[in-house]
Amino acid sequence: MTRRTILRGMAAAPFAGAAANVLSAAPAHAATVAANQYSLTSRSSNEHGEFAALAAGLAARLTKVDATTVIATTNRDAKALSSAPSTAEAFQTGFAWDPADQDVLYWIPQGVTTSADAYGNGLYPDSAGDKVVLVSWYFETDTDPDTPGDEQPIDKGMRLTFVDYNAAAAPTYRHVLLVEPVRTATGAYSFEPVQKHAGGIMWYGNLLYVVDTYKGLRIFDLDTLFTVETAEKDVCGLHTDGKYYGYGYQYVLPQSHAYDNAGTYLRYSTIGLDRASTPDSLVIGEYSLDGVVSYNDPGHTFNGTGAPAETTPHVVRWPLDYTDRHPGSLTATEAVTVAQKKIQGIVSRNSKHYLSVSAGLSTKGALRTFTSGSSTATTVADLAVGCEDLSFHSSGASGWAYGESVIWNVSEYDGLRYVYAVRADGS
């Protein structure tokens, strides 16, 4: 989850020589804690004004589209996987990026969600829609800290990839730049890159939730994207020529809302949707390098209350309102601790929680599960080297279903980047 030196020189073929997963033998202890200490505050604006007004200002100057337009205009080809990538087990389906995205050092994939999160039938839109996978990436300006002077001059923030998965044998995709709407010094409507980690994403109806590690949740409305010019690869927003650009991408997706952490400190590392709960809910998981979460990151300030102390990682749940796709309460309804290091992804099914757990640059990851209040977690299946976010895909998704429920995962290291689903029971 932290920005790190990218693994170089590894083959794009599945990695068969990874070390044994030492995490599978280490129990992860869990305990229930007071949920009402965790809360959010709803925010409909930034320092430049209301998000809705800023979007309206952009709409008066740019062509507005929705996600269906992006899905219908994919422009890159992915490579379908016929077998498990890297060290993953219980493989169901998946793909690898084209060579340029497989090998690029400064764009790094992190989050994954699908149209099976967006709507219960698995399609987007929910009637006669498409099978879609979304993946978030963050921009790394320093791809090799050991080589001074090679830094990228611009932090281009976060991008979102729309993958058309209607034909699993030949998936296609397009990148979109995530932006925050602003006004310039002269009052003109514009936008800026969102320079965050994009560590976890969740698609719910027309809304995309993106975790902001130190602040909480950023919301993007997939009904409101804008078409921009593509000639300027290093310009974002309104340029001196009077045109709008998004670092060469044809579409930009502006932030539409935010939910800031307002209670006890919490590291918003990853997010997952639970459609098995009543009502639907979202869960947040915390990353830690060694099983102890710190809220004293140099150069960063956490939103929250209390004394920033080290603590065991938490999994925290908030209910969702399916009528408007926003949180149904600003106060959490469940919180548990789990003594597990390197949590990269979280999805839940009521009191059963699944974790993706990484183990470094050359060791396989693991899909692990535990029950709220239980004492130990168990390994369900091995995951790819560099495993990241998770997304649960129920076998009950009538429009896009597999024979049994699966869990999607994304892996991050260049040359070993896969997006794939494993069977949730590890079989």
Short mmCIF file of all heavy atoms in Angstrom, two decimals, residues 325-359:
data_model
loop_
_atom_site.label_atom_id
_atom_site.label_comp_id
_atom_site.label_asym_id
_atom_site.label_seq_id
_atom_site.Cartn_x
_atom_site.Cartn_y
_atom_site.Cartn_z
N ARG A 325 -27.57 5.70 -2.82
CA ARG A 325 -26.24 5.09 -2.93
C ARG A 325 -25.20 5.72 -2.00
O ARG A 325 -24.00 5.44 -2.14
CB ARG A 325 -25.74 5.12 -4.38
CG ARG A 325 -26.69 4.44 -5.36
CD ARG A 325 -26.82 2.95 -5.07
NE ARG A 325 -27.87 2.32 -5.89
CZ ARG A 325 -28.05 1.01 -5.98
NH1 ARG A 325 -27.28 0.19 -5.28
NH2 ARG A 325 -29.02 0.50 -6.71
N HIS A 326 -25.64 6.53 -1.07
CA HIS A 326 -24.74 7.14 -0.08
C HIS A 326 -24.83 6.35 1.24
O HIS A 326 -25.73 5.52 1.42
CB HIS A 326 -25.14 8.60 0.15
CG HIS A 326 -24.73 9.50 -0.97
ND1 HIS A 326 -23.57 10.23 -0.96
CD2 HIS A 326 -25.35 9.81 -2.16
CE1 HIS A 326 -23.47 10.94 -2.06
NE2 HIS A 326 -24.54 10.71 -2.82
N PRO A 327 -23.93 6.61 2.19
CA PRO A 327 -24.04 5.97 3.49
C PRO A 327 -25.39 6.25 4.14
O PRO A 327 -25.89 7.38 4.09
CB PRO A 327 -22.89 6.60 4.29
CG PRO A 327 -21.86 6.93 3.25
CD PRO A 327 -22.66 7.38 2.07
N GLY A 328 -26.00 5.23 4.73
CA GLY A 328 -27.28 5.39 5.38
C GLY A 328 -27.16 5.95 6.78
O GLY A 328 -28.14 6.40 7.38
N SER A 329 -25.95 5.94 7.33
CA SER A 329 -25.67 6.51 8.64
C SER A 329 -24.22 6.99 8.62
O SER A 329 -23.36 6.37 7.98
CB SER A 329 -25.87 5.49 9.75
OG SER A 329 -25.37 5.97 10.99
N LEU A 330 -23.96 8.07 9.34
CA LEU A 330 -22.58 8.56 9.43
C LEU A 330 -21.82 7.91 10.57
O LEU A 330 -20.62 8.14 10.73
CB LEU A 330 -22.59 10.08 9.59
CG LEU A 330 -23.18 10.87 8.41
CD1 LEU A 330 -23.16 12.37 8.70
CD2 LEU A 330 -22.45 10.56 7.12
N THR A 331 -22.51 7.09 11.36
CA THR A 331 -21.88 6.37 12.46
C THR A 331 -21.73 4.91 12.10
O THR A 331 -22.67 4.28 11.59
CB THR A 331 -22.72 6.50 13.75
OG1 THR A 331 -22.87 7.88 14.07
CG2 THR A 331 -22.04 5.78 14.91
N ALA A 332 -20.55 4.36 12.35
CA ALA A 332 -20.31 2.96 12.03
C ALA A 332 -21.19 2.04 12.86
O ALA A 332 -21.59 2.37 13.97
CB ALA A 332 -18.84 2.63 12.27
N THR A 333 -21.50 0.87 12.30
CA THR A 333 -22.35 -0.09 12.99
C THR A 333 -21.59 -1.34 13.44
O THR A 333 -22.13 -2.15 14.18
CB THR A 333 -23.51 -0.52 12.09
OG1 THR A 333 -22.98 -1.01 10.84
CG2 THR A 333 -24.44 0.65 11.81
N GLU A 334 -20.36 -1.50 12.99
CA GLU A 334 -19.54 -2.63 13.44
C GLU A 334 -18.09 -2.23 13.35
O GLU A 334 -17.67 -1.53 12.42
CB GLU A 334 -19.78 -3.88 12.58
CG GLU A 334 -18.96 -5.07 13.07
CD GLU A 334 -19.06 -6.31 12.17
OE1 GLU A 334 -19.45 -6.15 10.99
OE2 GLU A 334 -18.72 -7.41 12.64
N ALA A 335 -17.30 -2.68 14.32
CA ALA A 335 -15.86 -2.49 14.29
C ALA A 335 -15.20 -3.67 14.97
O ALA A 335 -15.61 -4.07 16.07
CB ALA A 335 -15.46 -1.19 14.97
N VAL A 336 -14.21 -4.25 14.31
CA VAL A 336 -13.45 -5.35 14.90
C VAL A 336 -11.97 -5.11 14.65
O VAL A 336 -11.59 -4.42 13.70
CB VAL A 336 -13.86 -6.72 14.31
CG1 VAL A 336 -15.31 -7.03 14.62
CG2 VAL A 336 -13.60 -6.78 12.80
N THR A 337 -11.14 -5.64 15.52
CA THR A 337 -9.70 -5.62 15.30
C THR A 337 -9.29 -6.96 14.70
O THR A 337 -9.93 -7.99 14.94
CB THR A 337 -8.93 -5.40 16.60
OG1 THR A 337 -9.19 -6.48 17.50
CG2 THR A 337 -9.32 -4.08 17.25
N VAL A 338 -8.22 -6.92 13.94
CA VAL A 338 -7.66 -8.16 13.40
C VAL A 338 -6.14 -8.01 13.35
O VAL A 338 -5.61 -7.12 12.67
CB VAL A 338 -8.25 -8.51 12.02
CG1 VAL A 338 -8.09 -7.37 11.03
CG2 VAL A 338 -7.64 -9.81 11.48
N ALA A 339 -5.45 -8.83 14.10
CA ALA A 339 -4.00 -8.73 14.21
C ALA A 339 -3.35 -9.38 12.98
O ALA A 339 -2.78 -10.47 13.05
CB ALA A 339 -3.52 -9.39 15.49
N GLN A 340 -3.47 -8.69 11.88
CA GLN A 340 -2.95 -9.20 10.61
C GLN A 340 -2.17 -8.09 9.91
O GLN A 340 -2.69 -6.99 9.71
CB GLN A 340 -4.10 -9.65 9.70
CG GLN A 340 -3.69 -10.06 8.31
CD GLN A 340 -2.84 -11.32 8.32
OE1 GLN A 340 -3.29 -12.39 8.71
NE2 GLN A 340 -1.59 -11.19 7.90
N LYS A 341 -0.94 -8.36 9.56
CA LYS A 341 -0.15 -7.35 8.84
C LYS A 341 -0.45 -7.39 7.34
O LYS A 341 -0.97 -8.36 6.81
CB LYS A 341 1.33 -7.59 9.08
CG LYS A 341 1.88 -8.90 8.53
CD LYS A 341 3.35 -9.04 8.85
CE LYS A 341 3.92 -10.35 8.29
NZ LYS A 341 5.36 -10.49 8.59
N LYS A 342 -0.14 -6.29 6.68
CA LYS A 342 -0.18 -6.14 5.23
C LYS A 342 -1.54 -6.49 4.61
O LYS A 342 -1.64 -7.21 3.62
CB LYS A 342 0.93 -6.97 4.58
CG LYS A 342 2.33 -6.50 4.97
CD LYS A 342 3.41 -7.26 4.24
CE LYS A 342 4.79 -6.71 4.62
NZ LYS A 342 5.89 -7.43 3.93
N ILE A 343 -2.62 -5.96 5.22
CA ILE A 343 -3.96 -6.11 4.65
C ILE A 343 -4.07 -5.16 3.46
O ILE A 343 -3.95 -3.94 3.61
CB ILE A 343 -5.04 -5.80 5.69
CG1 ILE A 343 -4.98 -6.80 6.85
CG2 ILE A 343 -6.43 -5.81 5.04
CD1 ILE A 343 -5.90 -6.43 8.01
N GLN A 344 -4.31 -5.70 2.28
CA GLN A 344 -4.40 -4.90 1.07
C GLN A 344 -5.82 -4.78 0.54
O GLN A 344 -6.12 -3.87 -0.24
CB GLN A 344 -3.51 -5.51 -0.02
CG GLN A 344 -2.06 -5.67 0.36
CD GLN A 344 -1.27 -4.37 0.28
OE1 GLN A 344 -1.85 -3.30 0.19
NE2 GLN A 344 0.04 -4.47 0.31
N GLY A 345 -6.70 -5.71 0.92
CA GLY A 345 -8.08 -5.69 0.44
C GLY A 345 -9.00 -6.28 1.48
O GLY A 345 -8.59 -7.08 2.32
N ILE A 346 -10.28 -5.86 1.44
CA ILE A 346 -11.29 -6.35 2.37
C ILE A 346 -12.63 -6.45 1.66
O ILE A 346 -13.03 -5.54 0.93
CB ILE A 346 -11.41 -5.41 3.60
CG1 ILE A 346 -12.57 -5.83 4.52
CG2 ILE A 346 -11.59 -3.97 3.17
CD1 ILE A 346 -12.30 -7.01 5.37
N VAL A 347 -13.31 -7.58 1.81
CA VAL A 347 -14.72 -7.71 1.46
C VAL A 347 -15.37 -8.54 2.56
O VAL A 347 -14.72 -9.35 3.21
CB VAL A 347 -14.97 -8.37 0.08
CG1 VAL A 347 -14.58 -7.44 -1.03
CG2 VAL A 347 -14.25 -9.71 -0.02
N SER A 348 -16.66 -8.33 2.75
CA SER A 348 -17.36 -9.01 3.84
C SER A 348 -18.68 -9.60 3.36
O SER A 348 -19.27 -9.10 2.38
CB SER A 348 -17.62 -8.05 5.00
OG SER A 348 -16.42 -7.52 5.51
N ARG A 349 -19.11 -10.64 4.06
CA ARG A 349 -20.44 -11.23 3.89
C ARG A 349 -21.01 -11.40 5.28
O ARG A 349 -20.72 -12.37 5.97
CB ARG A 349 -20.34 -12.58 3.17
CG ARG A 349 -19.68 -12.51 1.81
CD ARG A 349 -20.53 -11.82 0.78
NE ARG A 349 -21.63 -12.68 0.33
CZ ARG A 349 -22.59 -12.27 -0.49
NH1 ARG A 349 -22.60 -11.01 -0.92
NH2 ARG A 349 -23.55 -13.08 -0.87
N ASN A 350 -21.78 -10.38 5.71
CA ASN A 350 -22.24 -10.32 7.09
C ASN A 350 -21.03 -10.35 8.04
O ASN A 350 -20.15 -9.52 7.92
CB ASN A 350 -23.25 -11.42 7.39
CG ASN A 350 -24.61 -11.12 6.77
OD1 ASN A 350 -25.12 -10.02 6.91
ND2 ASN A 350 -25.18 -12.09 6.07
N SER A 351 -20.96 -11.32 8.91
CA SER A 351 -19.86 -11.34 9.89
C SER A 351 -18.61 -12.05 9.40
O SER A 351 -17.63 -12.14 10.12
CB SER A 351 -20.34 -12.02 11.19
OG SER A 351 -20.72 -13.37 10.93
N LYS A 352 -18.65 -12.54 8.17
CA LYS A 352 -17.48 -13.20 7.60
C LYS A 352 -16.70 -12.21 6.75
O LYS A 352 -17.26 -11.58 5.84
CB LYS A 352 -17.90 -14.41 6.76
CG LYS A 352 -16.72 -15.23 6.24
CD LYS A 352 -17.20 -16.49 5.53
CE LYS A 352 -16.02 -17.36 5.11
NZ LYS A 352 -16.47 -18.62 4.46
N HIS A 353 -15.41 -12.07 7.02
CA HIS A 353 -14.58 -11.09 6.34
C HIS A 353 -13.45 -11.80 5.58
O HIS A 353 -12.82 -12.73 6.10
CB HIS A 353 -13.97 -10.11 7.34
CG HIS A 353 -14.98 -9.53 8.29
ND1 HIS A 353 -15.86 -8.53 7.92
CD2 HIS A 353 -15.26 -9.82 9.58
CE1 HIS A 353 -16.62 -8.22 8.95
NE2 HIS A 353 -16.28 -8.99 9.97
N TYR A 354 -13.20 -11.32 4.37
CA TYR A 354 -12.09 -11.82 3.55
C TYR A 354 -11.03 -10.73 3.45
O TYR A 354 -11.35 -9.56 3.22
CB TYR A 354 -12.56 -12.19 2.15
CG TYR A 354 -13.54 -13.33 2.07
CD1 TYR A 354 -14.91 -13.11 2.19
CD2 TYR A 354 -13.10 -14.64 1.84
CE1 TYR A 354 -15.81 -14.16 2.09
CE2 TYR A 354 -13.99 -15.69 1.74
CZ TYR A 354 -15.35 -15.44 1.87
OH TYR A 354 -16.25 -16.48 1.78
N LEU A 355 -9.77 -11.13 3.58
CA LEU A 355 -8.65 -10.21 3.49
C LEU A 355 -7.70 -10.68 2.39
O LEU A 355 -7.43 -11.87 2.26
CB LEU A 355 -7.87 -10.16 4.80
CG LEU A 355 -8.65 -9.91 6.10
CD1 LEU A 355 -7.72 -10.11 7.29
CD2 LEU A 355 -9.26 -8.52 6.10
N SER A 356 -7.16 -9.73 1.63
CA SER A 356 -6.00 -10.05 0.79
C SER A 356 -4.77 -9.57 1.55
O SER A 356 -4.73 -8.45 2.04
CB SER A 356 -6.09 -9.39 -0.58
OG SER A 356 -6.23 -7.98 -0.46
N VAL A 357 -3.78 -10.43 1.65
CA VAL A 357 -2.60 -10.17 2.46
C VAL A 357 -1.36 -10.33 1.58
O VAL A 357 -1.14 -11.40 1.01
CB VAL A 357 -2.53 -11.14 3.66
CG1 VAL A 357 -1.28 -10.90 4.48
CG2 VAL A 357 -3.78 -10.99 4.53
N SER A 358 -0.58 -9.28 1.47
CA SER A 358 0.60 -9.33 0.62
C SER A 358 1.82 -9.79 1.42
O SER A 358 1.81 -9.81 2.65
CB SER A 358 0.86 -7.96 0.00
OG SER A 358 1.17 -7.01 1.00
N ALA A 359 2.89 -10.10 0.67
CA ALA A 359 4.10 -10.60 1.34
C ALA A 359 5.36 -10.19 0.60
O ALA A 359 6.34 -10.92 0.57
CB ALA A 359 4.03 -12.12 1.47
#
